[in-house]
Amino acid sequence: MDGIDTLKARYLAAVAGAADEAGLEEVRVAALGKKGEISALMAGLGKMDPEARKAAGASLNALKDEIDAALRARKVALADAALDERLKTEWLDVTLPGRPRPRGTVHPVSQVMEELTAIFPDMGFSVAEGPQVESDWYNFDALNIPPEHPARQEHDTFFMHRAPGDNRPPHVLRTHTSPVQIRAMMERGAPIRVIAPGRVYRMDMDQTHTPMFHQVEGLAIDRDISMANLKWCLEEFCRAFFEVDKVELRFRASHFPFTEPSAEVDIRYSNTGGQLKIGEGDKWMEILGSGMVHPKVLQAAGVDPTQWQGFAFGMGIDRIAMLKYGIPDLRAFFEADLRWLRHYGFSALDVPDLAGGLSA
Ligand code: 2NL
């Protein structure tokens, strides 16, 4: 048997040399475990005579305590070292500036869509949607647009391709959202109050036109709806939309196949050093087209024109979004990115050439 001092030196060295907790546990089991070396020595005490047992027992106990203490200390040291190692690799400089995250914004057209679909429903209108590919009946015939009308020419409207021998009725990309309102009348009958916002398509591309744009149309049919109701409704809308107390609208006689009489509607505004103000000043800007729904249109939609009448209007959304949010140029919607949208985001009504450009 090794002397106590030899044992002690061996186990303390083993403890000091243990590389991790598992190694440390091996040392513990070898020395102090049930079948460990020191435990075996302790078991042997019983066979000694009392004098020798006393001396050996005391020194074995002291050895056991010392190894035990060394194991605990080494365990703490290993845990500290492991933590130090982690802190070396996982440190965080809390003084660094934050990483910029890309910010999104709601597109002005989407924003205006949301505004429209809040304002009109406040006046009792529901919101309707419909297909963007329409039969030429819904897009044209039902709206009293005759076959020879220029809008029905191949170069103004996108016609769907038909294979030779395919005799289904022609379909087009809708040129306005009117067909949505025709469908609503056919499905729901009169009385009805509905708006139809959405994408529309025309073969047009220049500084102020794009082949796809957005429109909102409105329709109110009842027993005795008049142009007076139309005027009030549009004034209420403009007040809410442009966020001004007073608006003034001017109705100019016009012509659309689907309304009779028809009127284009202008809004009063001023332009002081490029700052546009709605509701004051001596300038007029066209914002929409409107009229009393033509009896033939009611008839086509299954509504009896001897019993019902009403108004309809149509308005370009891109245009009024540009006006409200001070965006001078359609290119901001297409070529541009968030920098443009952010730049123009909320600088409303402050662009010099917008009105002139729009009504041209
Ligand atoms: C414009 C003119 C207008 C309508 C759209 C309409 C719809 C039905 C019946 C009758 Cl279902 N009319 N819509 C009426 C007048 C004018 O739009 O210049 N829009 C930008």
Side-chain angles (χ1 to χ4, degrees):
M1 184 183 110
D2 285 337
I4 290 282
D5 286 344
T6 317
L7 270 180
K8 179 171 155 184
R10 183 149 56 78
Y11 279 112
L12 290 185
V15 168
D20 51 26
E21 270 201 51
L24 213 49
E25 178 64 5
E26 277 174 26
V27 177
R28 190 192 66 77
V29 170
L32 309 175
K34 268 190 193 144
K35 294 175 184 166
E37 195 170 0
I38 293 176
S39 309
L41 289 173
M42 285 185 147
L45 288 174
K47 291 184 202 122
M48 295 185 180
D49 57 63
E51 266 318 289
R53 181 195 305 160
K54 202 173 176 188
S59 51
L60 276 176
N61 265 326
L63 175 61
K64 176 177 171 260
D65 289 349
E66 202 165 343
I67 293 174
D68 200 53
L71 282 166
R72 286 173 201 280
R74 180 67 182 151
K75 191 169 177 179
V76 170
L78 282 173
D80 283 354
L83 182 60
D84 280 347
E85 200 53 42
R86 261 185 71 194
L87 287 175
K88 257 186 237 161
T89 55
E90 293 180 15
W91 67 277
L92 186 70
D93 183 352
V94 294
T95 67
L96 279 177
R99 283 187 211 96
R101 285 203 284 142
R103 272 188 299 155
T105 67
V106 176
H107 193 283
V109 170
S110 306
Q111 167 116 7
V112 166
M113 290 269 207
E114 283 170 24
E115 291 166 6
L116 295 169
T117 51
I119 296 171
F120 282 108
D122 272 351
M123 293 190 274
F125 289 79
S126 59
V127 179
E129 289 183 304
Q132 299 185 35
V133 177
E134 269 291 6
S135 74
D136 64 348
W137 187 88
Y138 278 104
N139 195 77
F140 294 125
D141 300 271
L143 286 148
N144 193 36
I145 302 172
E148 66 280 4
H149 193 278
R152 297 184 72 151
Q153 301 307 300
E154 299 272 351
H155 60 265
D156 286 330
T157 299
F158 293 101
F159 280 83
M160 296 294 104
H161 175 73
R162 283 275 183 253
D166 184 342
N167 295 321
R168 286 175 298 172
H171 277 62
V172 300
L173 289 182
R174 68 183 183 197
T175 60
H176 40 202
T177 56
S178 317
V180 177
Q181 293 172 297
I182 298 292
R183 288 173 179 278
M185 278 191 280
M186 294 174 85
E187 281 162 24
R188 287 144 61 171
I192 190 170
R193 273 183 266 179
V194 70
I195 62 162
R199 290 180 170 179
V200 299
Y201 304 84
R202 293 183 197 172
M203 246 191 251
D204 223 346
M205 185 66 197
D206 59 34
Q207 284 219 315
T208 55
H209 297 88
T210 54
M212 186 281 288
F213 58 104
H214 303 80
Q215 207 198 17
V216 60
E217 291 213 0
L219 175 78
I221 305 290
D222 210 321
R223 297 282 178 192
D224 54 5
I225 298 274
S226 73
M227 299 267 302
N229 301 123
L230 169 66
K231 186 157 189 280
W232 177 86
C233 185
L234 293 176
E235 282 170 355
E236 277 305 294
F237 163 72
C238 290
R239 254 200 296 278
F241 181 74
F242 293 112
E243 298 171 25
V244 290
D245 294 331
K246 210 185 94 197
V247 293
E248 208 177 323
L249 297 182
R250 179 174 82 173
F251 283 60
R252 270 181 299 105
S254 183
H255 176 267
F256 304 109
F258 28 86
T259 46
E260 182 59 37
S262 303
E264 282 171 316
V265 178
D266 304 334
I267 192 165
R268 185 187 284 282
Y269 77 102
S270 67
N271 180 348
T272 321
Q275 186 76 29
L276 301 202
K277 280 211 179 103
I278 299 287
E280 58 170 60
D282 56 5
K283 293 178 185 299
W284 294 95
M285 176 170 18
E286 185 189 325
I287 53 165
L288 60 94
S290 65
M292 297 299 292
V293 179
H294 197 291
K296 284 189 179 171
V297 175
L298 292 175
Q299 192 97 59
V303 172
D304 181 353
T306 68
Q307 301 296 311
W308 306 97
Q309 63 181 34
F311 65 72
F313 61 86
M315 180 163 47
I317 290 178
D318 311 75
R319 229 164 155 280
I320 61 166
M322 291 167 75
L323 178 60
K324 179 164 179 178
Y325 292 114
I327 300 160
D329 193 316
L330 268 179
R331 282 174 299 181
F333 289 158
F334 295 94
E335 282 150 44
D337 51 32
L338 281 171
R339 283 168 303 175
W340 275 74
L341 296 182
R342 199 164 291 130
H343 181 70
Y344 292 116
F346 290 92
S347 57
L349 306 178
D350 62 356
V351 180
D353 302 326
L354 182 61
L358 285 173
S359 54

